[in-house]
Structure formats: C-alpha cells, structure tokens
Amino acid sequence: MKILSLLTLPLLLFASSESIDLRILELEQQLRHIHEDLDERMPIIEENEKKTILDKVNFAPELSLRFDDFNYNSKKIAGENTIITDSSNPYYGQQRRDEFTKHFDPATSIRFKLNMNATMGNAKFYGRLIYANSTQSNQRLCILSRDIKSGATTSSAFDVERAYIDYSPNKSSDYAFTFSFGILPTTDGSPMQYKQNKKRSSLFPSLVFDMNTYGVIATQKVAQDTFIRVILAKAYTLRANFYPYQCNRENIYNAGVVGLYTDTKYHFLGEGLISLGFNALHNLKAQPYLGPDMDITVANDLGDMITLGLGTDITNVLDTKATIFLHTALSNPHPNGNIDDYQITATNPDGFTDATYATGPMLQENGYSVFLGTKYDFNDVWNMGAEYNYGSKYWFSATQGAEDMFNKLATRGSAYEFYLNWTYYKHLNTKLSYLGIHEDYTGSGWHFGEPASKDATQDIFSLTLEARF
C-alpha cells in the first residue's frame, strides 16, 4: 500500500500543479478586469470626491484697488487754539487744525477678501478673510492738521472679518427659527449695498448699527416676508490700517451690544423693504483716532448709547430700473458721569487741543440723522446714483465698522456722494465717485464732549477697480 501511494504521488503533484496554474490564470484575468474597471471608474470617483469637497466649502474672492484725491479746507473752529510753537516747523506760529487748506498726496489702497460658505444640513457656515494695504502710513488723512501725526509704521493688515454658523432646526417651517453665533455679519448693511453694486452684507440697517461684533443672533420668521432679530454681542474695531483715510471713527475697547430689529418686505410702488431697529451699546469705552501717542489708558467707560432707526428701500420703482431709499435714526446717550480728557493742559501737555470739545462726559443731548438716495440702472453695464446724509450737532453713529473708509454716516453736518458704475466685463467693474463732506460741528464719530462750531469741507474724488467672483 505504501509502495502504491509513492507511485501515485507524482501524478497527484502534477494534477495539483495544473489546478494551481489554472487558478492563477483565473485570478490574473479577474485582476485584469478589475484594473480595467477601475481605470474606467477612477475619473468618476475623483470627480465625485472633488465635487463633494466643493459642495462643503465654497470660496468667492473679491479684490478692489482704489485711488483717492483728497482736499481739505478748514475755517475757524470755535475755541480752537493749537498754535504750533516749534520754531523748526514750517507752520510755526499757525494753528494746527483750523484756518488752513491742504491738498493731500494722492492715496492708494488695495483690499482683498476671501468669502467662504458651507452647507451642512440645517447648519451653514460663513466666513470672510480680509487683507488691506494703503499708502497712508506717513500721512494719515484721519488727522486733519498741518503737522500730521503719523500712523502705524506699517500700512497693511490682515484679519478674520466674519466667521459664524447659522442653524435652523425647523428650516422647512413657515415660521423658521435661526440661531447664529460667531464673528457676526453686522457690517455693511442696507442701503450701503447700492453704491457698491452688490447685495447687502449685514442683517441690520447701516445708519443704526454698523460695527464689528462677536456673539449671537436669534432670528424668528413671523410671516412670509417678516423677520424679528435679537442680537447679544460684544463690539470691537478692526485695526486702524483697515481704515486709512477717514476721521469719523473711534477705536472700540468695550461695548456690550443689545439689539432688537424687525424688517418686512412689501410690494407698494415697487419691491420694498422696511426696517425698524433698536440698538444699545452698554458701557461704551472708545477712543478717537488722534495719533500714535494716544492709547487705551486715556479712554474710560462713559455709559450707554442707544440708537433707534427706521428706514425703507424700494427697488424697481413704478416698474422702472430706479431705486430709492430713506433712513432716519436717533441717538440717545445715557452718561454715567465719567469723562474722557484729550485736552492740552499744564498737566496734560500731550493732549489733542486746548479746546473744550476734547474733554468731557458722554454726550448730553439726543442727536439725529437722515440718509436718503437714489440709483438708476441704465442696463446691465451702467448705473449711477446720488446719496445725501445729514447729522445733527449731537449725532452719534454706531458705525465704527463701516465699510465706507470715510464713514460719512457719522458726519455732524452734511455729506453728498455721486457715483457712476461701469461693469465692463463679467465680475469686473469700475466706479468713479465724488464725496463732499461739510462739517458743521467738531467730533463727528465721537461719543463724548461738547461739540464746537466748525466750518470745514472735505472733497474726495475716487476711482475704484473691483473684481468679485
């Protein structure tokens, strides 16, 4: 039996070897088919993976290059007495900030924004990175004086302007609720979008509230086109290099934001939006841009500032391509008795001026403002518009984060603006504009002191090249 087994062993080995070879051949054929199938499917798989990534996060860049020609003429400012006493100064013996005329060097600035958004079911993410650079590091227009105080040593800045989540647990409901948190969309609201030739970027009207904030917003839809919003946030200010040209702004060190707003659409005379808002800045601590020698140690918590506003925007007026808007607001200060002091005295020789408007508690009187304008679209290529706003003696505008570099809405006096937009290629446009600001009182954009009579005019001609994708 053992001998028989040994005799048949070669036959068994031969048969096993033949079976293994056939099996290997079958596996090779299967692998070849799989490889061919993957070659056909890989482009589809890779494309689907790319599509999935792009569906999660979308990127939309914006780029703007702006040129400004700036003239300033100031007559007498009541109580101003800042005579230049440095004999080496070419303006020795003259006042710094009144009774002078100056043509500033042509100013150039560039601004880049990267917008981001992603949808994740009932939650959405929005973000915006921003970079700015300007020629105004050595001649800042926000110090309107003969001997201009230089700004920061660098004229560029980079920051995260907004990054927030919208969550709607009942998104499909007729009365949907949305909870938002993060660095909030509270700058560049209506009606500022018309001259910028784009959609509004904030949920709130600019004349009432246009500040950088972080916190929460609760939005309740109460009817088909009606929403109520509550905001609880902290206000802050982007670095001064983001706003190289203007003066009507303060650096916010502390301010709690509490706001209640409602807006609704209507279809009378055209496609209309009416907005009503209440905003409170609690424990407001801020400092004007008065030069590099002023810091947070000078500013104090002066109390609360309440702003109330009502406005309406109407597009396609009477079935035409015209747009009109009218907004008004009231500022209502509640001082706590503390003061800010930027007055030059024997004990404070590094102050801003020896005039009394540079020192004092929070404003003592209510202020008001009106803002109106119109725009007409001739076609998809050309549009033009005109805007006017007026601020009273005690007007305080909560617009420290305004996209407008000159922050005209904070003016205590009148501001006129005319512009022409030319969309010469898809996503590319050019804007020519003129902005005239006439200040009737000192302290535009300030929340403290007793405003003094002023007679000063700014004339700004600008050319802007923009790209939005």
Side-chain angles (χ1 to χ4, degrees):
M1 187 66 179
K2 291 181 179 179
I3 295 173
L4 181 60
S5 298
L6 291 172
L7 291 174
T8 59
L9 182 59
L11 295 175
L12 292 172
L13 290 173
F14 176 79
S16 298
S17 177
E18 184 178 9
S19 175
I20 291 171
D21 289 342
L22 289 174
R23 182 59 179 162
I24 291 173
L25 182 62
E26 290 176 358
L27 289 173
E28 288 178 345
Q29 291 176 345
Q30 291 177 10
L31 287 172
R32 185 165 56 253
H33 288 313
I34 291 172
H35 182 72
E36 292 173 352
D37 188 51
L38 283 174
D39 286 343
E40 294 178 357
R41 292 175 179 271
M42 278 306 294
I44 299 174
I45 293 172
E46 290 177 354
E47 185 64 28
N48 285 337
E49 287 178 348
K50 291 178 182 178
K51 187 174 185 300
T52 300
I53 293 172
L54 291 176
D55 281 345
K56 289 181 179 179
V57 182
N58 298 308
F59 299 93
E62 297 181 34
L63 183 66
S64 66
L65 176 63
R66 175 168 171 156
F67 308 91
D68 284 278
D69 184 73
F70 185 96
N71 296 279
Y72 183 70
N73 179 49
S74 175
K75 298 179 182 178
K76 187 63 181 175
I77 301 174
E80 189 74 74
N81 184 27
T82 51
I83 296 177
I84 298 172
T85 57
D86 181 2
S87 59
S88 64
N89 193 304
Y91 300 110
Y92 171 71
Q94 300 182 53
Q95 294 280 0
R96 284 191 175 94
R97 277 174 295 282
D98 63 353
E99 300 179 299
F100 85 100
T101 299
K102 184 173 179 63
H103 176 76
F104 288 75
D105 294 340
T108 305
S109 66
I110 190 164
R111 184 168 291 205
F112 172 73
K113 297 179 182 179
L114 183 61
N115 300 288
M116 300 167 284
N117 67 79
T119 300
M120 300 157 285
N122 289 348
K124 293 183 179 181
F125 164 77
Y126 298 92
R128 180 187 291 168
L129 305 178
I130 181 172
Y131 169 81
N133 193 293
S134 166
T135 62
Q136 289 298 296
S137 59
N138 296 318
Q139 191 185 46
R140 296 185 65 87
L141 302 186
C142 68
I143 304 297
L144 298 176
S145 59
R146 286 190 173 92
D147 55 342
I148 294 174
K149 300 178 181 180
S150 296
T153 56
T154 176
S155 58
S156 64
F158 175 82
D159 213 330
V160 179
E161 187 188 25
R162 57 184 62 182
Y164 64 97
I165 295 293
D166 280 348
Y167 172 59
S168 301
N170 58 340
K171 184 177 179 180
S172 59
S173 171
D174 291 337
Y175 304 98
F177 171 80
T178 301
F179 175 71
S180 308
F181 66 92
I183 304 175
L184 300 171
T186 52
T187 60
D188 205 20
S190 183
M192 301 300 284
Q193 74 273 19
Y194 297 122
K195 71 173 182 178
Q196 296 169 2
N197 214 28
K198 64 179 184 180
K199 295 181 179 179
R200 64 174 177 162
S201 300
S202 170
L203 300 172
F204 309 103
S206 286
L207 191 60
V208 180
F209 180 52
D210 198 337
M211 307 182 80
N212 297 97
T213 64
Y214 58 90
V216 299
I217 299 174
T219 302
Q220 178 64 58
K221 184 177 181 181
V222 296
Q224 178 62 34
D225 294 314
T226 302
F227 298 86
I228 294 177
R229 295 184 177 89
V230 175
I231 178 173
L232 299 173
K234 293 289 289 187
Y236 68 98
T237 310
L238 294 178
R239 289 186 290 271
N241 289 326
F242 282 108
Y243 309 107
Y245 299 166
Q246 54 71 52
C247 311
N248 303 336
R249 198 182 302 264
E250 291 183 309
N251 230 346
I252 302 295
Y253 294 125
N254 181 73
V257 179
V258 179
L260 176 63
Y261 296 81
T262 181
D263 58 65
T264 186
K265 295 180 181 179
Y266 62 92
H267 305 283
F268 176 69
L269 299 178
E271 301 299 317
L273 176 72
I274 187 168
S275 57
L276 175 65
F278 159 88
N279 185 79
L281 299 177
H282 179 58
N283 293 337
L284 177 57
K285 181 179 181 181
Q287 173 198 311
Y289 288 135
L290 300 178
D293 54 342
M294 301 294 180
D295 58 30
I296 188 174
T297 60
V298 185
N300 295 289
D301 169 12
L302 301 187
D304 302 335
M305 179 68 71
I306 295 174
T307 310
L308 307 168
L310 174 66
T312 185
D313 312 336
I314 307 176
T315 59
N316 301 320
V317 178
L318 298 177
D319 293 324
T320 68
K321 295 182 179 180
T323 296
I324 59 174
F325 62 82
L326 173 61
H327 289 246
T328 185
L330 173 74
S331 58
N332 174 232
H334 293 264
N336 60 12
N338 295 334
I339 68 169
D340 275 357
D341 188 2
Y342 302 95
Q343 187 179 23
I344 297 174
T345 62
T347 58
N348 184 29
D350 296 325
F352 179 66
T353 174
D354 61 5
T356 56
Y357 69 79
T359 186
M362 183 177 280
L363 300 170
Q364 303 291 301
E365 305 285 345
N366 293 340
Y368 68 90
S369 178
V370 293
F371 182 28
L372 55 92
T374 183
K375 175 186 175 184
Y376 189 83
D377 294 293
F378 296 99
N379 47 45
D380 293 335
V381 176
W382 295 95
N383 66 73
M384 66 182 300
E387 300 181 359
Y388 168 79
N389 62 274
Y390 172 80
S392 70
K393 179 178 180 179
Y394 295 98
W395 166 241
F396 174 80
S397 180
T399 57
Q400 311 302 330
E403 189 80 1
D404 169 36
M405 288 186 292
F406 292 92
N407 195 14
K408 65 178 186 177
L409 296 185
T411 302
R412 290 174 182 165
S414 300
Y416 307 82
E417 185 164 14
F418 306 92
Y419 60 86
L420 175 67
N421 279 309
W422 173 33
T423 305
Y424 57 91
Y425 186 71
K426 186 179 181 181
H427 307 301
L428 305 179
N429 70 282
T430 294
K431 181 172 71 175
L432 289 170
S433 71
Y434 164 75
L435 173 62
I437 298 178
H438 185 271
E439 296 176 279
D440 296 332
Y441 299 95
T442 59
S444 293
W446 295 14
H447 69 298
F448 68 93
E450 175 64 23
S453 297
K454 183 178 182 180
D455 185 2
T457 302
Q458 302 173 38
D459 293 296
I460 306 107
F461 296 89
S462 68
L463 168 67
T464 305
L465 306 177
E466 292 184 305
R468 300 193 190 102
F469 298 93

